[in-house]
Amino acid sequence: MIFKNFSEEFNGKLILITGGNGQIGSEIVESYLQASAKVICLDPEPPQKQHDPNRFEWIKTDITDKKEVESFFAKLIEKNSIPDILINCAGISVFSPFEERTEEQFNGVVQVNLNGTFLLSQAIFRIWKERNIKGIILNFGSIYGVSIADMRIYGDSGRNSPEVYAITKAGIIHFTKYLARYAAPYGIRVNCISPGGIFDNQHPDFIKNYVYKTPLGRMGEPTDLIGAIFFLTSSMSGYITGQNLLVDGGFTIGD
Ligand SMILES: NC(=O)c1ccc[n+]([C@@H]2O[C@H](COP(=O)([O-])OP(=O)(O)OC[C@H]3O[C@@H](n4cnc5c(N)ncnc54)[C@H](O)[C@@H]3O)[C@@H](O)[C@H]2O)c1
Protein backbone atom coordinates (compact mmCIF):
# COMPACT_ATOMS: atom_id res chain seq x y z
CA MET A 1 0.00 0.00 0.00
CA ILE A 2 1.23 3.48 -0.83
CA PHE A 3 0.49 6.01 1.89
CA LYS A 4 -0.40 9.53 0.82
CA ASN A 5 1.05 12.50 2.60
CA PHE A 6 -1.48 14.58 4.49
CA SER A 7 -1.60 17.40 1.92
CA GLU A 8 -2.56 14.87 -0.74
CA GLU A 9 -5.03 13.32 1.68
CA PHE A 10 -6.79 16.55 2.66
CA ASN A 11 -6.35 18.61 -0.51
CA GLY A 12 -9.84 19.73 -1.62
CA LYS A 13 -11.50 18.24 1.46
CA LEU A 14 -13.96 20.40 3.40
CA ILE A 15 -13.63 20.18 7.17
CA LEU A 16 -16.45 21.38 9.43
CA ILE A 17 -15.31 22.08 12.96
CA THR A 18 -17.22 23.35 15.99
CA GLY A 19 -15.33 25.33 18.61
CA GLY A 20 -12.58 25.88 16.05
CA ASN A 21 -11.61 29.24 17.52
CA GLY A 22 -10.62 27.89 20.94
CA GLN A 23 -7.21 26.80 22.20
CA ILE A 24 -7.25 23.33 20.62
CA GLY A 25 -9.63 24.16 17.77
CA SER A 26 -7.47 26.96 16.38
CA GLU A 27 -4.48 24.59 16.19
CA ILE A 28 -6.66 22.07 14.36
CA VAL A 29 -7.88 24.72 11.90
CA GLU A 30 -4.33 25.89 11.25
CA SER A 31 -3.13 22.32 10.69
CA TYR A 32 -5.85 21.42 8.17
CA LEU A 33 -5.23 24.67 6.30
CA GLN A 34 -1.52 23.80 6.16
CA ALA A 35 -2.54 20.39 4.79
CA SER A 36 -4.42 22.07 1.89
CA ALA A 37 -7.96 21.51 3.22
CA LYS A 38 -10.79 24.02 3.41
CA VAL A 39 -12.31 24.71 6.81
CA ILE A 40 -15.66 25.99 8.06
CA CYS A 41 -15.64 26.90 11.72
CA LEU A 42 -18.77 27.21 13.85
CA ASP A 43 -18.06 29.18 17.00
CA PRO A 44 -19.69 32.12 18.78
CA GLU A 45 -16.23 33.62 19.27
CA PRO A 46 -14.13 35.10 16.44
CA PRO A 47 -10.93 33.44 15.15
CA GLN A 48 -7.71 34.33 16.92
CA LYS A 49 -5.98 35.05 13.61
CA GLN A 50 -6.80 35.77 9.99
CA HIS A 51 -6.78 33.00 7.41
CA ASP A 52 -7.07 32.86 3.63
CA PRO A 53 -10.78 33.68 3.07
CA ASN A 54 -10.84 31.30 0.08
CA ARG A 55 -10.12 28.38 2.38
CA PHE A 56 -11.44 29.43 5.78
CA GLU A 57 -14.86 30.59 6.84
CA TRP A 58 -16.00 31.45 10.35
CA ILE A 59 -19.74 31.32 10.84
CA LYS A 60 -20.76 32.78 14.17
CA THR A 61 -22.93 29.97 15.51
CA ASP A 62 -24.15 28.67 18.83
CA ILE A 63 -24.33 24.91 18.27
CA THR A 64 -26.94 24.52 21.01
CA ASP A 65 -29.37 26.62 18.97
CA LYS A 66 -31.23 24.18 16.72
CA LYS A 67 -32.53 26.97 14.47
CA GLU A 68 -29.02 28.35 13.88
CA VAL A 69 -27.69 24.88 13.15
CA GLU A 70 -30.57 24.09 10.76
CA SER A 71 -30.19 27.36 8.89
CA PHE A 72 -26.42 26.77 8.58
CA PHE A 73 -26.96 23.33 7.01
CA ALA A 74 -29.76 24.63 4.75
CA LYS A 75 -27.32 27.21 3.33
CA LEU A 76 -24.63 24.55 2.85
CA ILE A 77 -27.06 22.38 0.89
CA GLU A 78 -28.14 25.38 -1.20
CA LYS A 79 -24.48 26.00 -2.13
CA ASN A 80 -23.87 22.26 -2.52
CA SER A 81 -20.89 22.71 -0.27
CA ILE A 82 -20.96 19.48 1.72
CA PRO A 83 -18.28 18.84 4.36
CA ASP A 84 -16.29 15.60 4.13
CA ILE A 85 -15.29 15.59 7.79
CA LEU A 86 -17.04 16.83 10.94
CA ILE A 87 -15.01 17.57 14.05
CA ASN A 88 -17.15 18.12 17.15
CA CYS A 89 -14.53 20.03 19.13
CA ALA A 90 -16.69 22.60 20.98
CA GLY A 91 -16.84 21.83 24.67
CA ILE A 92 -17.26 23.75 27.91
CA SER A 93 -16.99 23.12 31.62
CA VAL A 94 -17.60 24.82 34.95
CA PHE A 95 -15.19 24.91 37.85
CA SER A 96 -17.17 25.38 41.06
CA PRO A 97 -17.51 22.52 43.57
CA PHE A 98 -20.19 19.86 43.16
CA GLU A 99 -22.29 21.10 46.10
CA GLU A 100 -22.54 24.56 44.52
CA ARG A 101 -23.61 23.36 41.08
CA THR A 102 -26.71 25.10 39.78
CA GLU A 103 -29.15 23.53 37.37
CA GLU A 104 -28.32 26.29 34.86
CA GLN A 105 -24.60 25.42 34.98
CA PHE A 106 -25.33 21.72 34.68
CA ASN A 107 -27.70 22.14 31.75
CA GLY A 108 -25.37 24.60 30.06
CA VAL A 109 -22.53 22.07 29.91
CA VAL A 110 -24.87 19.29 28.78
CA GLN A 111 -26.29 21.55 26.05
CA VAL A 112 -22.93 22.35 24.46
CA ASN A 113 -21.10 19.07 25.00
CA LEU A 114 -23.91 16.58 24.36
CA ASN A 115 -26.76 18.34 22.56
CA GLY A 116 -24.31 20.25 20.34
CA THR A 117 -22.43 17.09 19.36
CA PHE A 118 -25.74 15.30 18.75
CA LEU A 119 -27.27 18.09 16.64
CA LEU A 120 -24.26 18.46 14.36
CA SER A 121 -23.77 14.71 13.98
CA GLN A 122 -27.42 14.09 13.16
CA ALA A 123 -27.56 16.92 10.62
CA ILE A 124 -24.44 15.80 8.77
CA PHE A 125 -25.43 12.13 8.94
CA ARG A 126 -28.74 12.90 7.20
CA ILE A 127 -26.91 14.78 4.43
CA TRP A 128 -24.24 12.11 3.93
CA LYS A 129 -26.76 9.27 3.98
CA GLU A 130 -28.96 10.94 1.39
CA ARG A 131 -26.02 11.67 -0.92
CA ASN A 132 -24.14 8.43 -0.29
CA ILE A 133 -21.11 10.32 1.07
CA LYS A 134 -18.73 8.26 3.18
CA GLY A 135 -17.94 10.99 5.66
CA ILE A 136 -15.93 10.91 8.87
CA ILE A 137 -16.92 12.25 12.31
CA LEU A 138 -14.41 12.91 15.07
CA ASN A 139 -15.76 13.68 18.52
CA PHE A 140 -13.98 15.19 21.50
CA GLY A 141 -13.99 13.21 24.73
CA SER A 142 -11.51 13.69 27.57
CA ILE A 143 -9.46 11.67 30.02
CA TYR A 144 -12.25 12.55 32.44
CA GLY A 145 -14.77 10.74 30.28
CA VAL A 146 -12.76 7.59 30.98
CA SER A 147 -11.32 8.01 34.46
CA ILE A 148 -12.46 10.02 37.45
CA ALA A 149 -10.57 13.21 38.25
CA ASP A 150 -8.40 13.01 41.35
CA MET A 151 -9.66 16.08 43.23
CA ARG A 152 -6.45 16.22 45.28
CA ILE A 153 -4.45 17.51 42.30
CA TYR A 154 -6.51 20.71 42.15
CA GLY A 155 -5.62 21.88 45.69
CA ASP A 156 -6.34 25.60 46.11
CA SER A 157 -6.05 26.31 42.39
CA GLY A 158 -9.67 27.45 42.19
CA ARG A 159 -10.28 24.92 39.44
CA ASN A 160 -12.02 21.65 39.82
CA SER A 161 -13.03 19.02 37.33
CA PRO A 162 -16.79 18.78 37.73
CA GLU A 163 -19.16 15.84 37.56
CA VAL A 164 -21.09 17.31 34.64
CA TYR A 165 -17.99 17.51 32.44
CA ALA A 166 -17.17 13.87 33.25
CA ILE A 167 -20.71 12.74 32.51
CA THR A 168 -20.90 14.55 29.18
CA LYS A 169 -17.48 13.33 28.05
CA ALA A 170 -18.32 9.72 28.98
CA GLY A 171 -21.56 10.26 27.07
CA ILE A 172 -19.68 11.47 23.99
CA ILE A 173 -17.46 8.37 24.04
CA HIS A 174 -20.53 6.15 24.27
CA PHE A 175 -22.35 8.16 21.60
CA THR A 176 -19.30 7.65 19.36
CA LYS A 177 -19.65 3.88 19.68
CA TYR A 178 -23.41 3.96 19.11
CA LEU A 179 -23.19 6.16 16.04
CA ALA A 180 -20.21 4.22 14.66
CA ARG A 181 -22.33 1.08 14.58
CA TYR A 182 -25.41 2.88 13.27
CA ALA A 183 -23.52 4.71 10.51
CA ALA A 184 -21.21 1.85 9.49
CA PRO A 185 -23.59 0.42 6.83
CA TYR A 186 -23.34 3.77 5.05
CA GLY A 187 -19.53 3.74 5.06
CA ILE A 188 -19.49 6.59 7.60
CA ARG A 189 -16.86 6.31 10.33
CA VAL A 190 -17.13 7.84 13.80
CA ASN A 191 -14.26 8.02 16.28
CA CYS A 192 -13.32 10.03 19.33
CA ILE A 193 -10.14 11.63 20.61
CA SER A 194 -9.71 12.08 24.36
CA PRO A 195 -6.99 14.57 25.24
CA GLY A 196 -5.27 14.82 28.57
CA GLY A 197 -4.79 18.20 30.26
CA ILE A 198 -3.50 20.83 27.85
CA PHE A 199 -1.11 23.46 29.20
CA ASP A 200 -2.82 26.83 29.49
CA ASN A 201 -0.94 28.69 32.23
CA GLN A 202 -2.86 26.88 34.95
CA HIS A 203 -2.04 27.33 38.64
CA PRO A 204 1.55 26.12 39.31
CA ASP A 205 0.39 23.72 42.07
CA PHE A 206 -2.05 22.10 39.71
CA ILE A 207 0.58 21.77 36.97
CA LYS A 208 3.06 20.19 39.41
CA ASN A 209 0.50 17.64 40.63
CA TYR A 210 -0.80 16.91 37.17
CA VAL A 211 2.67 16.37 35.72
CA TYR A 212 3.55 14.07 38.63
CA LYS A 213 0.66 11.82 37.62
CA THR A 214 1.61 11.86 33.93
CA PRO A 215 4.08 9.16 32.83
CA LEU A 216 5.49 11.33 30.02
CA GLY A 217 6.17 14.04 32.60
CA ARG A 218 4.47 17.08 31.08
CA MET A 219 1.09 18.54 30.21
CA GLY A 220 -0.10 18.32 26.61
CA GLU A 221 0.13 21.00 23.92
CA PRO A 222 -2.55 21.42 21.22
CA THR A 223 0.03 20.28 18.63
CA ASP A 224 0.30 16.92 20.46
CA LEU A 225 -3.23 16.13 19.24
CA ILE A 226 -2.78 16.76 15.53
CA GLY A 227 -1.19 13.41 14.61
CA ALA A 228 -4.10 11.52 16.14
CA ILE A 229 -6.68 13.86 14.59
CA PHE A 230 -5.16 13.57 11.10
CA PHE A 231 -4.90 9.80 11.48
CA LEU A 232 -8.51 9.38 12.59
CA THR A 233 -9.86 11.63 9.82
CA SER A 234 -7.80 10.17 6.98
CA SER A 235 -7.84 7.00 4.90
CA MET A 236 -5.01 5.70 7.11
CA SER A 237 -7.68 4.78 9.67
CA GLY A 238 -10.13 3.43 7.09
CA TYR A 239 -10.77 0.21 9.08
CA ILE A 240 -11.20 1.96 12.45
CA THR A 241 -14.56 3.08 13.79
CA GLY A 242 -16.15 3.51 17.22
CA GLN A 243 -12.80 3.98 18.94
CA ASN A 244 -11.68 6.45 21.57
CA LEU A 245 -8.01 7.39 21.24
CA LEU A 246 -6.49 8.77 24.44
CA VAL A 247 -3.75 11.31 23.79
CA ASP A 248 -2.70 11.96 27.36
CA GLY A 249 0.99 11.27 27.93
CA GLY A 250 -0.05 8.03 29.62
CA PHE A 251 -2.14 9.80 32.30
CA THR A 252 -4.86 7.13 32.28
CA ILE A 253 -2.72 3.98 32.12
CA GLY A 254 -2.41 3.83 35.88
CA ASP A 255 -6.17 3.83 36.39
N1 LIG B 1 -7.92 21.87 27.14
C1 LIG B 1 -7.90 20.68 27.74
O1 LIG B 1 -7.12 20.43 28.67
C2 LIG B 1 -8.82 19.59 27.26
C3 LIG B 1 -8.64 18.29 27.76
C4 LIG B 1 -9.50 17.28 27.35
C5 LIG B 1 -10.51 17.57 26.44
N2 LIG B 1 -10.65 18.85 25.98
C6 LIG B 1 -11.74 19.09 25.03
O2 LIG B 1 -11.21 19.66 23.85
C7 LIG B 1 -12.18 20.51 23.25
C8 LIG B 1 -11.57 21.88 22.98
O3 LIG B 1 -11.17 22.43 24.22
P1 LIG B 1 -10.29 23.74 24.37
O4 LIG B 1 -9.35 23.51 25.46
O5 LIG B 1 -9.80 24.20 23.04
O6 LIG B 1 -11.41 24.74 24.93
P2 LIG B 1 -11.60 26.28 24.59
O7 LIG B 1 -12.49 26.81 25.65
O8 LIG B 1 -10.29 26.94 24.37
O9 LIG B 1 -12.39 26.23 23.21
C9 LIG B 1 -13.71 25.80 23.11
C10 LIG B 1 -14.33 26.53 21.94
O10 LIG B 1 -15.70 26.12 21.86
C11 LIG B 1 -16.47 27.26 21.60
N3 LIG B 1 -17.85 27.09 22.05
C12 LIG B 1 -18.32 27.18 23.33
N4 LIG B 1 -19.64 27.09 23.33
C13 LIG B 1 -20.03 26.94 22.03
C14 LIG B 1 -21.28 26.82 21.39
N5 LIG B 1 -22.43 26.85 22.09
N6 LIG B 1 -21.30 26.68 20.04
C15 LIG B 1 -20.15 26.66 19.32
N7 LIG B 1 -18.94 26.78 19.88
C16 LIG B 1 -18.88 26.93 21.22
C17 LIG B 1 -15.78 28.38 22.37
O11 LIG B 1 -16.16 29.67 21.89
C18 LIG B 1 -14.33 28.05 22.12
O12 LIG B 1 -13.84 28.69 20.95
C19 LIG B 1 -13.37 20.55 24.21
O13 LIG B 1 -14.34 19.62 23.79
C20 LIG B 1 -12.75 20.13 25.52
O14 LIG B 1 -13.68 19.55 26.40
C21 LIG B 1 -9.84 19.86 26.36
Side-chain angles (χ1 to χ4, degrees), residues 45-215:
E45 299 299 325
Q48 296 168 21
K49 72 181 252 201
Q50 278 209 320
H51 298 294
D52 175 358
N54 295 314
R55 292 203 294 122
F56 174 80
E57 192 179 4
W58 165 49
I59 301 174
K60 189 173 162 63
T61 310
D62 173 357
I63 57 160
T64 68
D65 186 327
K66 197 167 182 226
K67 284 213 173 78
E68 278 187 28
V69 172
E70 278 173 355
S71 117
F72 162 72
F73 278 105
K75 282 181 200 139
L76 277 191
I77 291 170
E78 230 174 77
K79 290 194 285 183
N80 199 27
S81 162
I82 310 297
D84 303 281
I85 295 167
L86 166 65
I87 304 189
N88 284 310
C89 179
I92 61 167
S93 192
V94 285
F95 300 109
S96 48
F98 173 67
E99 55 273 36
E100 290 171 19
R101 185 83 53 251
T102 64
E103 215 180 323
E104 284 72 25
Q105 287 175 334
F106 189 93
N107 292 341
V109 176
V110 171
Q111 280 291 321
V112 176
N113 296 7
L114 282 180
N115 296 46
T117 297
F118 160 73
L119 274 181
L120 269 286
S121 303
Q122 187 193 48
I124 200 99
F125 174 77
R126 285 177 177 152
I127 293 172
W128 286 343
K129 181 183 164 194
E130 201 179 297
R131 289 165 179 71
N132 199 19
I133 295 172
K134 296 176 174 29
I136 300 170
I137 297 177
L138 182 65
N139 292 325
F140 261 76
S142 161
I143 48 172
Y144 293 143
V146 174
S147 67
I148 301 303
D150 179 346
M151 284 73 187
R152 292 168 300 183
I153 70 174
Y154 293 91
D156 298 326
S157 68
R159 280 180 87 97
N160 170 51
S161 192
E163 77 303 325
V164 63
Y165 186 73
I167 295 164
T168 57
K169 291 301 180 177
I172 287 172
I173 295 165
H174 216 69
F175 174 62
T176 300
K177 294 179 192 174
Y178 177 91
L179 191 57
R181 184 174 281 246
Y182 191 84
Y186 307 98
I188 295 167
R189 295 192 295 115
V190 188
N191 286 296
C192 187
I193 179 171
S194 281
I198 302 296
F199 177 77
D200 191 19
N201 289 309
Q202 290 95 337
H203 192 286
D205 291 346
F206 166 75
I207 295 176
K208 194 166 137 254
N209 294 336
Y210 185 91
V211 166
Y212 177 75
K213 281 176 71 85
T214 307

